[in-house]
Amino acid sequence: MAKSSRRTAVRRGPSDFEGQTSELGAVLADLRMAKGLSLRQVEEATDRAVSNAYLSQLENGKIKKPSPRVLHTLAAVYAVPYEALMEKAGYLLPAGIGGGRRKRLAAFAIDDLTAEEEEELLRYLAFLRWRPRS
């Protein structure tokens, strides 16, 4: 007999996950299940902007840092603060760090970036942060 790999839903409200250290994927899965939505229903709710396959990879931790656009779309579907998902994904520092203000990547102040440009900027930022300094 095959075992079911289905997760048990942990019911959380929109603000219950803010400030916790759980992974983004687990938070997204919990939010989806708390809303009683399937992966396909979320895909439909996003007008196919987020595919069910992509969402599955997010929830299972195979994709750890989705684009801010994806997070914005999911925040609207799940009725949670966009900033909270941005914080979970590592784009924003938790409140109270850095003088009590939230910080964000300067690149996201540019409204007309394509998804490819956004990803390239993130890769470059990662390179800058991890390169040896003289």
Side-chain angles (χ1 to χ4, degrees), residues 14-15 29 35 40 51 56 58 78 80 87 94-95 101 104 108 126:
S15 63
K35 290 280 189 185
R40 290 195 191 278
S51 74
S56 176
L58 277 174
Y78 298 145
V80 297
E87 184 179 310
R101 296 181 351 194
R104 65 184 192 149
F108 295 116

Side-chain angles (χ1 to χ4, degrees), residues 8 14 48 79 103:
T8 304
R48 300 190 186 273
K103 298 190 185 224

Side-chain angles (χ1 to χ4, degrees), residues 67-112:
S67 76
R69 279 187 200 157
V70 167
L71 295 175
H72 188 268
T73 301
L74 292 174
V77 170
Y78 298 145
V80 297
Y82 170 61
E83 294 79 12
L85 293 184
M86 289 287 285
E87 184 179 310
K88 284 292 177 198
Y91 291 111
L92 297 176
L93 293 174
I97 295 179
R101 296 181 351 194
R102 290 188 184 270
K103 298 190 185 224
R104 65 184 192 149
L105 295 174
F108 295 116
I110 303 170
D111 291 333
D112 62 347

Side-chain angles (χ1 to χ4, degrees), residues 29-79:
D30 288 346
L31 288 169
R32 179 179 58 77
M33 288 185 276
K35 290 280 189 185
L37 298 171
S38 70
L39 292 169
R40 290 195 191 278
Q41 288 171 319
V42 173
E43 178 181 41
E44 291 299 321
T46 66
D47 293 327
R48 300 190 186 273
V50 181
S51 74
N52 68 75
Y54 186 83
L55 184 57
S56 176
Q57 290 179 336
L58 277 174
E59 290 183 4
N60 290 310
K62 292 180 182 169
I63 297 172
K64 298 197 182 294
K65 201 157 189 163
S67 76
R69 279 187 200 157
V70 167
L71 295 175
H72 188 268
T73 301
L74 292 174
V77 170
Y78 298 145

